């Protein structure tokens, strides 16, 4: 027996896999958890690129202003 690892779901399930590696009660929970993790990674990447992009953007403006 196991408990589903998807955050909103805590259903119990019977793990019949050969190496007892099942983590979710259904494909639906597994997909939902994987999509949420993917979106969180993309959001983190976007936040990082924005923070470094702003610094690079302001450096380009400073260079452009000094060339005038």
């Amino acid at each position: 027996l196991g408990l589903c690892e998807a955050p909103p779901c805590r259903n119990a399930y019977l793990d019949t896999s050969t190496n007892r590696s099942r983590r979710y009660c259904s494909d639906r929970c597994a997909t939902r958890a994987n999509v949420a993790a993917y979106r969180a990674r993309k959001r983190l990447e976007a936040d990082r690129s924005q923070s470094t992009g702003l610094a690079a953007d302001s450096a380009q403006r400073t260079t452009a202003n000094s060339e005038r």
Side-chain angles (χ1 to χ4, degrees), residues 26-33:
S26 67
D27 288 338
R28 183 178 180 184
C29 281
T31 300
R32 184 179 22 203

Side-chain angles (χ1 to χ4, degrees), residues 9 13 15-16 22 30 34 36-37 39 42 47 49 56 60 65:
C9 178
Y13 60 88
D15 188 358
T16 57
R22 189 169 168 183
N34 289 331
R39 289 180 179 166
K42 290 297 178 183
D47 290 345
S49 67
Q60 287 177 350
N65 288 338

Side-chain angles (χ1 to χ4, degrees), residues 33-56:
N34 289 331
V35 168
Y38 172 80
R39 289 180 179 166
R41 283 192 310 269
K42 290 297 178 183
R43 191 171 31 251
L44 183 61
E45 287 175 13
D47 290 345
R48 286 182 181 169
S49 67
Q50 275 186 343
S51 65
T52 58
L54 291 176

